[in-house]
Amino acid sequence: MSDGLLGFGVLELLGYAHKVVLAPRGKAGTEIEPFKWLNVLLGNLKTALSGTHHSFKFSKYARRYLAEVQYRFNRRADMAAMVPRMAVAAAQTKPCPKRIILGLGKG
């Protein structure tokens, strides 16, 4: 099921069943059941990227912000274990100079 983007036509050529759902504009389009999870995901990503770090220089720290979002997303199934796992990873990681973290020089 998709929103009718032309690229999804390839699915039918490959033998997969594909149903196009053209969502109405505005709030009514967000209420279609198959697309609700997608709207939640996009809203969460937008908030994580723009809302959380709005006062910092995004271009300077973009790699870190995206890595944080990726870490959270990949571990979203077990949120309670995220902090203990991060603590273990931090404890087992060797010290690293700031210049290496920032990508400014070799170790």
Side-chain angles (χ1 to χ4, degrees):
M1 185 174 293
S2 76
D3 61 356
L5 189 64
L6 292 176
F8 287 107
V10 173
L11 293 174
E12 292 178 357
L13 295 175
L14 294 173
Y16 294 98
H18 180 247
K19 179 180 175 187
V20 174
V21 176
L22 296 176
R25 296 199 181 270
K27 184 153 175 80
T30 65
E31 299 300 320
I32 297 174
E33 190 60 39
F35 297 134
K36 282 185 181 181
W37 67 269
L38 180 61
N39 289 316
V40 169
L41 174 70
L42 293 175
N44 289 343
L45 286 174
K46 180 181 173 185
T47 300
L49 290 174
S50 64
T52 305
H53 307 294
H54 70 278
S55 63
F56 299 103
K57 294 180 181 178
F58 184 81
S59 61
K60 183 176 180 181
Y61 300 105
R63 290 188 343 207
R64 290 190 201 178
Y65 298 153
L66 294 174
E68 177 187 352
V69 169
Q70 179 185 14
Y71 184 88
R72 287 187 200 180
F73 184 79
N74 289 339
R75 287 154 183 83
R76 68 193 178 278
D78 191 7
M79 298 292 270
M82 191 180 299
V83 173
R85 286 181 66 172
M86 183 66 105
V88 169
Q92 293 176 345
T93 302
K94 295 179 183 179
C96 186
K98 184 177 179 180
R99 69 180 184 279
I100 301 299
I101 294 171
L102 297 176
L104 300 175
K106 295 183 178 180

